[in-house]
Amino acid sequence: MKNYWIFLVLILGGCSKNFEPPPPFNGTDAKATISIKEMRNAHIPGAFGKWAGDDIITGIVIANDASNNFYKSIVIQDSTGGITIKLDGFSIANDYPLNQRVFIRLNGLWLSEYGGMLQLGAGIDTSNPQYTDLLPIPVPLFSRYILKGSIEPAPTPIHVNFDQLKDSLQSRLIQIDSVELAAADTAKPFADAINKATVSHTIRLCGIGTVYLRTSGFADFAAIKTPRGNGSIKGIYTVFDTQKQIQIRDTGDVQMKGLRCSGVRLIFYEDFETIPVNTGLQISGWKNIAENGSAIFEGKWNAPNRYAEITAFATYQPVVNSWLILPPINLNNSTNEQLSFITKDAFDNGANLQAYISSNYDGGNSPSKAKWTPLKATIAKGSVNGLATKWTPSGPISLQGYSGKVYIAFKYEGADIADLLLKKTTRFQLDEIKIVGN
Amino acid sequence: MTDAQKKDSLLKSMVAEPDDIHIVFADDGEFQAASGFVPSPLHASKELLHSAIGFRFGAGRYRYRGLDTRSFSFRMNGIKMNRLFDQQIPWNDWGGLNESTSNQHIVAGVGEEGFENIGINNHVHTEATSIRPQRSISLVTGNRAYGNRFSFVLAKGFNKKQWASAVHISGRKGGEQILDAGFFNSISYLLSLQKKWKAIDMNITMVGSVVHRNTTPAITQEYRLLGGRKTNPYWGWQQGMKRNVGIYFVHQPKVILSAQFSPTEDIHIQSAIMYSQGLQYTTGFDWYRAADPRADYYRYLPSYQTDSLLQQQVQQLIVSNPQILQIDWERMYQMNSHNPFTLRGVTGNRAKYILESRNRYTKQCFISTQLQQQITATDSWKIGIDMSREFVQLNKRVHDLLGADYYVNWNQFATNNIPDNKAIQNDLNDPDRILYTGDIFGYDYQLYLQEIVGTASWITRKQKLDIHVGGTVNFTEYRRIGNMRNGLFPGNSFGTSPPISFLNGGIKFGFTYKRSGKQYFLWNLLFLSRAPLVQHAFVSPRVNSLLHPALNNEKIFQLEAGWIHNSSKLRLRMNAYMFHKYDGIDLLSFYHDEYQSLVSYALSNLHQMHMGIEASLIHTINPSLTIELVALVGNYRFKTTQQYATYIDNETAAGDKGTVFIKNFKVPGTPQRAFSMGLTYKPGKWWANLAVNYLGDYWLDFNPLRRTYAAGQLQAQTKTNWIFPQEKLPDIVYTDLFIGTSLYLIKKKKQAPVLLFLSVNNCFNNLFYNGGYEQMRLGVNHVGDNKFPTKYFMAPGINYSLTTRFNL
């Protein structure tokens, strides 16, 4: 039955035209005549200025309405500055995706500020004399004023501090590091998705300075909760009168998983200072398991410091797998948890020490039955001829994304065989295991 | 037959071609009154009134007495052709077969015999011997939508073994004559085989027509003024070719097996069974998180600009680059090829825009039997039964991915960012389905429809009086079967709905007083009830099986009286009628771009009153010159306010409800007034007819939401005056000319007649709209005008067709 219809459609298709898909679009060969900075500088603050002269600026699209946080506008920047262009359409991100190079023919367009923010539009609305407004470019005129180039690599944001925020950064992609949302603004929706209302959250650098994270209630991500941690934010720098704002393109622009400046709590700490030395580690709640071979973690002392140590050396066993597992840690009463520890290696010939985390380990003697996820830690290595002189810090390891009871483990993998190429007996020392959180 | 008679009959058969003709001539023969018995009036098909409605007023979309389209019927070889789905006559299914479907007669109204539909009833006979014996080739050229036609007919009467056969093949082709980027391709066929065996006369006919053409746009005045008379927003350039987004395809072949049986001289039985299956689709855009691709979208036109300078700029740009008014295919291809996305392990460019086909697959099995018996010399009766079953499947398919790799079965308008949002799924039974060309998506449901109609009538023809009485019973049943579980309506979208059924009936009574063979008086009365159409019964059949809130049968009452006067010089006919329809319901479904959804307005409590006078006059001035006058004056109104309830396909919450204040509004969609004056000149070798036609009092289909309390408040607030009043189309005037003649080609001493027939419509190239509708949105723009102005259908300018027929 179905085939019959396809057959008929084909017969008729024979007498209807076949349409060739158009070739890929290669972009215009237009050239910019002035920079965005030059254009901005030509504007008289407070005035409505119609551009006269066949000038062209070019820039890369750094924001659009793809997630509906930017409404009827795109933001472009070149190496000298950025500008917001008002466009009277919906889903314009399809026409002007991120990283699209565009060329703007300025002749006939208008420049004016909105709350101190310089914008480019197609006309002015004087119907209300109290409040003159810039009109967006109508859809049918897009192609008259905006030419498209090719898609280019994403531009790197400008890294700035609070005190560097100034008007010349308007409509540019900036990044501010080591900041966090004010405590009252954490874990709150980015904006009011129900009433479609814009919300501004306060961003601070350890209690100093303020910039507002401004999000539209129409943004697709409005209902998503803001992060609790400390980290970096990138977005478009905007102003409203004296208020300095940053507007993100998507939640990926906010990377705040780190430890907040204040309210740091110690969740777990072990410095091995009270353990007996030169014997297998035995701490209440810990597991010290030689899964293959006979090597176990031992307590050691190198005045005045005590620490844990393991090596496959002198076990004469081809497979050495050993685990040191911390007591279960409850992550339910804290946020932004970070693990850190320090290691030293000696006579490194390729054995491996790796930190893992598991949510389903049962606390028994067969840890390999559980699912362990490796943690990204820096571990000492390369001390071929003797003991490393300095401890290697692991770096902060975020435990975000884990909750409830988790286990942290250190797994040693080595081999003690005659073949020097396959012999792996590196000695590792481990100390200062610490978990902190807010 | 003499040559002259032959010529005449050939000419007549040519004249009776729906796309060529305008008029069927009144019979020239005079009745001889004998023994005091006055024969009954001429058959309706010979009525100037009805031929004028069919052919002269067709260009202005005149509908007989303002009746809705379901009131008109078409029977082929005795079987009803109207679809159960919408009760429409599928004219396309035998389009182009003019020569073989010209044997028709017309009954206006329920008629004396049987119990027909209340509008115009066409009866066409395509049994092999009903087609005039011929071997002919016709070539038609012209500048109409399907300007060129080729047709070959071979029909032979019964042979010695009482077999007869007929073949008709026809092809039609058209281009941009009427509309920019228009196209029309069609192949039609008809095969008939007939066998007479004792008292039984059997026939099998297979008929079908494949049509592949553009869809016809309705456009706003602004768009037309920008683009011109042939402007069409449905096309755009693609690699140097004009590509049309609106494709209409239909092929619904039918096989009709019919038999006539007369066991005695007084009894006549006619039976027929039809099986048909086929597909109809139209194409259009679907899009996911992208701008509206329609070229005539109101935001893309100059009037949307509130600033006069910007308005000017847009206007100037359109004047210098008219392609801005057309579809930008290349932009869509560009977007579709730059949207990489991974879903269910499939990585590729997900389509922003696609072409979809909205399909309707139909299977029909219709059975009909009529028995007629002459009981006495004066009395006869007739009973009939029609049993019809129809299965309709409606769905959407991906027609063209426009350069993308796939599309997803998501409902973009149910999107919001709640995680694990199921509302976005068009089909929860197969969520996130990846779609490729040809795949079903969006909605998919079936309708099982059944109708059983019984009729009975009795007629007695006395010396001076004919009396007829009749009745009908109608059982109708509808059932919906959803093939998808819609994410917004998981509870009532999938599976079989309980059947809904309706029982209806009607009675008629009438008489004809035959004062003499020249004068007749007619009087007819009718009561009838009708089931709602399945199209109106389910409010959102695409996504659920919700029923119309006021699902009831409509009731009809009609009274008519007529007077006929015939003399050798003058034929005069006058009718007066009054028609009431109570308890009607309606359902208006359309795309609402504010809700971004298909929306239905369920209307109830429709009470219509139609009354009017019809008059026609044929005056024979001399044997070669006739003058014809037709006047149809009606007054069709709504007599009460109506109730409305809104249903939104993309929202589960109940919509608006309220009253539509349209008491005394005119019934829209047809001119209520029509006049025609024609002259026919037949000097002998050729003939010509010139007719001037006028149509007026033509009211537009209106938006009920513009006549609510809220709309009245808006009108007061905005100090406008156009929201509430009803809009009337400007009056329509056009002139048609028809000329026919025959020539003879000498071929081996035999004369081979060649017939030439020229028809010119709208001779003076008048510019007029022949239809239109108010948009279903309401908005007042910055200057107080309608933000969503009325859309119109443009009538063609001067157009002609020249038919040449070779009888081989």
Side-chain angles (χ1 to χ4, degrees):
Chain A
M1 167 75 192
K2 259 181 200 166
N3 294 337
Y4 163 63
W5 290 118
I6 289 166
F7 176 65
L8 263 176
V9 171
L10 280 178
I11 288 179
L12 275 160
C15 56
S16 69
K17 292 174 189 169
N18 278 319
F19 292 96
E20 287 281 314
F25 178 73
N26 291 321
T28 173
D29 52 0
K31 292 265 186 312
T33 60
I34 59 169
S35 70
I36 292 179
K37 189 179 178 184
E38 285 170 310
M39 178 197 72
R40 293 182 72 99
N41 289 343
H43 175 68
I44 301 157
F48 282 87
K50 186 177 184 180
W51 197 275
D54 291 325
D55 293 306
I56 296 176
I57 55 166
T58 185
I60 288 174
V61 176
I62 50 170
N64 56 30
D65 64 355
S67 63
N68 290 313
N69 193 25
F70 291 79
Y71 176 71
K72 285 191 173 181
S73 60
I74 59 170
V75 185
I76 66 165
Q77 71 171 27
D78 64 7
S79 58
T80 67
I83 186 74
T84 297
I85 304 165
K86 292 183 76 179
L87 299 172
D88 195 15
F90 299 115
S91 297
I92 47 186
N94 294 325
D95 283 297
Y96 309 109
L98 286 187
N99 311 324
Q100 168 80 54
R101 178 165 291 283
V102 293
F103 297 84
I104 314 292
R105 297 153 110 159
L106 293 176
N107 197 354
L109 293 179
W110 290 72
L111 271 172
S112 110
E113 290 109 344
Y114 176 75
M117 180 82 188
L118 192 65
Q119 298 180 323
L120 204 51
I124 48 168
D125 178 9
T126 51
S127 58
N128 179 356
Q130 305 293 314
Y131 181 74
T132 310
D133 196 11
L134 195 64
L135 289 167
I137 302 177
V139 174
L141 298 182
F142 281 8
S143 54
R144 176 181 164 175
Y145 288 113
I146 308 173
L147 306 173
K148 289 170 75 172
S150 50
I151 304 268
E152 298 192 2
T156 335
I158 305 172
H159 290 259
V160 289
N161 298 325
F162 282 110
D163 49 7
Q164 292 170 323
L165 291 174
K166 52 181 190 281
D167 279 348
S168 64
L169 288 175
Q170 271 188 19
S171 299
R172 298 203 69 172
L173 184 63
I174 59 164
Q175 178 167 335
I176 314 174
D177 296 321
S178 306
V179 287
E180 58 195 36
L181 285 147
D185 287 340
T186 58
K188 295 275 159 47
F190 273 89
D192 184 350
I194 293 152
N195 299 308
K196 304 287 181 203
T198 299
V199 169
S200 288
H201 291 301
T202 308
I203 291 174
R204 320 206 74 188
L205 176 77
C206 291
I208 308 160
T210 296
V211 69
Y212 291 98
L213 168 60
R214 188 174 186 279
T215 304
S216 160
F218 290 94
D220 293 346
F221 55 85
I224 291 176
K225 301 272 170 62
T226 53
R228 296 160 186 268
N230 184 301
S232 70
I233 181 168
K234 68 181 169 190
I236 309 304
Y237 178 61
T238 64
V239 297
F240 188 74
D241 294 337
T242 54
Q243 185 167 308
K244 295 173 176 177
Q245 302 170 333
I246 190 162
Q247 215 175 329
I248 59 172
R249 287 88 50 88
D250 213 328
T251 48
D253 282 345
V254 184
Q255 293 298 333
M256 296 183 179
K257 292 177 179 170
L259 207 54
R260 294 177 67 84
C261 305
S262 56
V264 179
R265 289 194 295 134
L266 192 60
I267 296 165
F268 178 88
Y269 184 66
E270 180 56 68
D271 60 2
F272 304 110
E273 291 308 317
T274 56
I275 52 161
V277 296
N278 294 329
T279 177
L281 268 179
Q282 273 190 321
I283 313 175
S284 169
W286 289 59
K287 285 280 178 186
N288 189 358
I289 301 163
E291 196 176 33
N292 302 103
S294 58
I296 55 169
F297 287 82
E298 292 188 341
K300 292 283 177 184
W301 184 57
N302 185 4
N305 183 30
R306 292 176 196 229
Y307 50 89
E309 184 184 280
I310 188 164
T311 176
F313 186 72
T315 58
Y316 310 112
Q317 284 156 342
V319 180
V320 176
N321 283 337
S322 305
W323 296 79
L324 180 66
I325 305 172
L326 276 57
I329 292 160
N330 186 357
L331 298 178
N332 272 353
N333 304 317
S334 54
T335 57
N336 308 323
E337 300 86 355
Q338 281 182 359
L339 165 74
S340 64
F341 53 89
I342 54 176
T343 52
K344 261 188 193 179
D345 63 327
F347 304 104
D348 184 12
N349 57 359
N352 192 30
L353 183 72
Q354 171 69 51
Y356 289 93
I357 186 164
S358 174
S359 297
N360 67 348
Y361 169 56
D362 60 2
N365 288 326
S366 307
S368 51
K369 281 188 200 160
K371 185 185 176 230
W372 293 93
T373 307
L375 292 169
K376 275 186 188 165
T378 310
I379 308 270
K381 62 174 182 182
S383 304
V384 180
N385 298 321
L387 183 64
T389 51
K390 280 185 182 166
W391 288 92
T392 301
S394 65
I397 301 152
S398 173
L399 302 183
Q400 271 217 343
Y402 294 95
S403 60
K405 193 170 82 167
V406 298
Y407 286 90
I408 308 264
F410 296 90
K411 187 182 181 189
Y412 179 88
E413 291 168 290
D416 188 12
I417 48 180
D419 184 346
L420 285 177
L421 286 173
L422 297 173
K423 189 178 178 107
K424 289 175 180 172
T425 55
T426 315
R427 179 187 304 175
F428 284 104
Q429 299 179 350
L430 174 66
D431 203 357
E432 299 285 334
I433 302 170
K434 186 161 81 171
I435 299 174
V436 290
N438 288 123
Chain B
M1 277 201 284
T2 65
D3 277 356
Q5 275 173 328
K6 248 187 214 164
K7 217 181 349 176
D8 204 43
S9 108
L10 280 170
L11 270 175
K12 276 186 192 169
S13 83
M14 275 181 72
V15 172
E17 292 175 14
D19 58 343
D20 293 336
I21 24 165
H22 74 305
I23 184 167
V24 179
F25 289 102
D27 201 318
D28 287 335
E30 278 286 307
F31 281 106
Q32 302 297 318
S35 65
F37 184 85
V38 182
S40 301
L42 295 176
H43 209 281
S45 58
K46 313 253 165 109
E47 276 290 341
L48 172 62
L49 265 184
H50 306 129
S51 62
I53 290 165
F55 307 119
R56 288 190 176 175
F57 300 141
R61 301 194 185 196
Y62 183 87
R63 278 209 313 271
Y64 176 66
R65 294 183 181 178
L67 297 172
D68 50 11
T69 48
R70 70 178 295 192
S71 303
F72 297 79
S73 284
F74 194 101
R75 279 178 189 268
M76 187 178 280
N77 301 351
I79 200 114
K80 201 154 112 177
M81 292 284 117
N82 296 54
R83 292 184 287 257
L84 297 186
F85 175 68
D86 53 7
Q87 293 290 350
Q88 302 263 337
I89 302 167
W91 294 102
N92 272 314
D93 296 350
W94 52 86
L97 300 170
N98 311 22
E99 290 84 356
S100 55
T101 55
S102 62
N103 183 354
Q104 21 187 309
H105 80 262
I106 289 166
V107 177
V110 293
E112 293 185 325
E113 289 177 356
F115 202 116
E116 304 221 36
N117 211 338
I118 55 177
I120 303 272
N121 298 279
N122 271 273
H123 295 256
V124 66
H125 283 275
T126 63
E127 294 95 349
T129 55
S130 301
I131 299 167
R132 189 179 58 79
Q134 61 189 297
R135 189 165 67 194
S136 69
I137 288 175
S138 302
L139 300 172
V140 182
T141 57
N143 65 347
R144 294 178 183 162
Y146 40 97
N148 302 307
R149 187 167 79 92
F150 163 86
S151 162
F152 170 75
V153 188
L154 178 63
K156 291 175 178 170
F158 282 123
N159 65 13
K160 284 173 188 166
K161 290 182 174 174
Q162 299 286 296
W163 284 90
S165 62
V167 178
H168 187 175
I169 304 287
S170 162
R172 287 177 291 167
K173 192 156 184 65
E176 299 189 68
Q177 290 88 345
I178 300 292
L179 202 64
D180 287 339
F183 66 93
F184 191 105
N185 302 307
S186 170
I187 297 164
S188 314
Y189 52 87
L190 182 138
L191 304 163
S192 270
L193 188 64
Q194 191 173 355
K195 166 74 181 162
K196 200 166 185 174
W197 182 70
K198 291 181 182 168
I200 302 175
D201 192 346
M202 281 180 296
N203 183 81
I204 185 164
T205 292
M206 180 165 185
V207 60
S209 176
V210 191
V211 178
H212 182 242
R213 61 169 298 178
N214 64 285
T215 56
T216 310
I219 54 173
T220 61
Q221 173 115 346
E222 180 187 16
Y223 193 85
R224 178 182 63 80
L225 291 175
L226 284 167
R229 182 168 201 154
K230 284 162 67 178
T231 190
N232 174 8
Y234 292 173
W235 70 272
W237 291 105
Q238 182 174 331
Q239 292 298 85
M241 294 215 277
K242 284 180 171 179
R243 182 171 186 184
N244 207 319
V245 56
I247 300 168
Y248 173 85
F249 171 90
V250 65
H251 185 207
Q252 180 84 35
K254 303 168 198 306
V255 178
I256 304 168
L257 185 66
S258 56
Q260 305 202 33
F261 175 53
S262 298
T264 70
E265 234 174 57
D266 300 332
I267 296 177
H268 183 73
I269 299 169
Q270 181 176 346
S271 257
I273 178 165
M274 176 189 81
Y275 178 76
S276 170
Q277 72 173 50
L279 162 68
Q280 175 193 309
Y281 71 72
T282 56
T283 61
F285 286 120
D286 193 33
W287 57 97
Y288 189 86
R289 298 196 79 156
D292 198 317
R294 293 172 299 176
D296 59 343
Y297 187 52
Y298 73 104
R299 287 166 182 268
Y300 305 157
L301 298 179
S303 63
Y304 180 67
Q305 298 307 321
T306 52
D307 181 73
S308 58
L309 289 170
L310 283 182
Q311 195 168 62
Q312 237 173 47
Q313 270 190 45
V314 174
Q315 179 109 21
Q316 276 167 8
L317 193 72
I318 288 172
V319 169
S320 55
N321 298 307
Q323 78 273 11
I324 287 183
L325 279 182
Q326 306 303 146
I327 285 161
D328 194 344
W329 291 102
E330 312 215 340
R331 175 176 161 273
M332 280 185 261
Y333 272 88
Q334 215 184 92
M335 287 183 183
N336 275 356
S337 55
H338 286 101
N339 189 34
F341 194 83
T342 300
L343 187 75
R344 286 176 76 169
V346 177
T347 299
N349 284 309
R350 196 184 72 204
K352 290 274 180 188
Y353 297 97
I354 63 157
L355 263 189
E356 65 176 24
S357 61
R358 297 144 197 167
N359 312 294
R360 194 168 77 200
Y361 305 85
T362 306
K363 287 185 193 173
Q364 297 170 316
C365 184
F366 291 4
I367 301 174
S368 172
T369 295
Q370 315 280 332
L371 183 150
Q372 192 168 17
Q373 186 181 11
Q374 193 73 33
I375 306 164
T376 67
T378 57
D379 290 19
S380 70
W381 65 299
K382 185 176 181 181
I383 54 168
I385 185 160
D386 285 286
M387 291 188 289
S388 313
R389 271 190 182 207
E390 190 169 295
F391 158 85
V392 190
Q393 184 174 8
L394 296 109
N395 60 29
K396 295 206 290 183
R397 282 178 191 272
V398 178
H399 194 75
D400 191 332
L401 284 166
L402 304 179
D405 297 318
Y406 67 91
Y407 198 54
V408 186
N409 197 11
W410 283 340
N411 173 1
Q412 73 157 319
F413 303 116
T415 312
N416 51 42
N417 223 48
I418 300 160
D420 198 28
N421 177 11
K422 294 207 165 60
I424 188 179
Q425 299 295 344
N426 280 322
D427 188 7
L428 290 173
N429 294 341
D430 191 359
D432 299 330
R433 192 155 77 90
I434 308 278
L435 304 168
Y436 303 102
T437 306
D439 286 351
I440 294 172
F441 77 106
Y443 60 83
D444 184 17
Y445 68 98
Q446 298 157 25
L447 295 170
Y448 277 97
L449 315 172
Q450 195 178 165
E451 188 185 70
I452 302 169
V453 186
T455 59
S457 67
W458 174 81
I459 182 162
T460 180
R461 297 187 194 277
K462 308 279 189 214
Q463 264 201 350
K464 288 274 185 183
L465 195 66
D466 292 355
I467 299 172
H468 65 97
V469 61
T472 181
V473 179
N474 179 317
F475 173 77
T476 310
E477 189 179 80
Y478 305 142
R479 204 185 298 238
R480 175 189 179 275
I481 300 172
N483 296 340
M484 286 187 181
R485 190 183 296 280
N486 187 280
L488 279 164
F489 303 95
N492 58 356
S493 49
F494 182 75
T496 308
S497 72
I500 43 171
S501 58
F502 307 90
L503 190 62
N504 285 285
I507 52 167
K508 59 163 189 169
F509 170 69
F511 64 82
T512 306
Y513 172 62
K514 301 176 281 193
R515 188 156 171 262
S516 70
K518 289 181 176 177
Q519 277 209 54
Y520 301 88
F521 296 94
L522 298 90
W523 187 91
N524 290 305
L525 181 67
L526 169 76
F527 294 97
L528 182 70
S529 70
R530 298 196 296 195
L533 296 174
V534 70
Q535 277 190 317
H536 299 162
F538 294 99
V539 289
S540 304
R542 296 163 295 270
V543 291
N544 63 43
S545 54
L546 268 184
L547 297 176
H548 192 292
L551 198 58
N552 47 304
N553 299 313
E554 60 185 24
K555 289 95 188 170
I556 286 166
F557 161 76
Q558 184 177 269
L559 184 64
E560 62 178 339
W563 173 60
I564 296 172
H565 175 89
N566 289 333
S567 72
S568 57
K569 292 271 180 203
L570 195 68
R571 292 161 171 277
L572 192 63
R573 170 149 203 166
M574 283 187 77
N575 295 322
Y577 61 89
M578 184 174 67
F579 168 91
H580 278 271
K581 184 166 88 175
Y582 305 92
D583 283 340
I585 65 166
D586 203 352
L587 190 82
L588 308 172
S589 283
F590 56 94
Y591 176 76
H592 194 301
D593 71 341
E594 202 168 2
Y595 289 124
Q596 299 196 309
S597 170
L598 274 162
V599 168
S600 300
Y601 292 154
L603 299 173
S604 55
N605 193 32
L606 274 67
H607 175 191
Q608 280 166 248
M609 187 197 71
H610 296 214
M611 52 196 285
I613 294 172
E614 303 161 338
S616 68
L617 180 151
I618 301 174
H619 178 50
T620 310
I621 296 166
N622 63 48
S624 57
L625 189 64
T626 319
I627 184 163
E628 303 126 19
L629 297 171
V630 179
L632 307 169
V633 179
N635 181 6
Y636 321 142
R637 284 179 184 278
F638 290 104
K639 295 299 285 178
T640 57
T641 58
Q642 299 175 4
Q643 308 304 314
Y644 76 92
T646 312
Y647 294 85
I648 303 165
D649 272 17
N650 288 331
E651 271 179 38
T652 47
D656 252 14
K657 277 183 189 171
T659 304
V660 189
F661 297 95
I662 54 152
K663 189 176 172 180
N664 285 328
F665 264 47
K666 295 274 196 169
V667 173
T670 172
Q672 302 202 3
R673 211 176 281 162
F675 300 100
S676 173
M677 191 177 79
L679 272 176
T680 302
Y681 182 56
K682 287 200 281 184
K685 293 264 179 200
W686 59 287
W687 64 270
N689 176 276
L690 183 76
V692 183
N693 307 299
Y694 160 90
L695 293 153
D697 214 18
Y698 186 170
W699 299 82
L700 283 169
D701 281 329
F702 56 83
N703 172 1
L705 253 58
R706 252 170 68 177
R707 279 83 194 181
T708 59
Y709 181 72
Q713 280 188 316
L714 181 68
Q715 178 164 293
Q717 276 164 16
T718 51
K719 297 192 176 68
T720 50
N721 57 7
W722 55 265
I723 296 178
F724 237 78
Q726 207 178 351
E727 186 183 341
K728 190 165 80 166
L729 270 184
D731 290 352
I732 297 169
V733 179
Y734 53 90
T735 306
D736 297 337
L737 174 69
F738 303 87
I739 300 173
T741 188
S742 61
L743 307 164
Y744 289 90
L745 298 176
I746 308 296
K747 188 178 131 193
K748 290 182 186 170
K749 293 182 191 168
K750 278 172 77 182
Q751 287 185 327
V754 179
L755 294 118
L756 286 171
F757 182 82
L758 174 71
S759 94
V760 185
N761 290 102
N762 194 7
C763 295
F764 298 107
N765 201 22
N766 290 346
L767 188 73
F768 62 92
Y769 295 127
N770 62 2
Y773 54 86
E774 291 177 7
Q775 294 196 54
M776 289 293 167
R777 288 184 69 183
L778 175 56
V780 179
N781 72 8
H782 60 289
V783 289
D785 281 345
N786 193 348
K787 207 167 167 183
F788 308 104
T790 308
K791 289 193 166 182
Y792 304 94
F793 293 102
M794 195 73 219
I798 181 168
N799 61 91
Y800 76 95
S801 82
L802 177 67
T803 305
T804 312
R805 180 176 303 161
F806 303 93
N807 283 288
L808 307 172

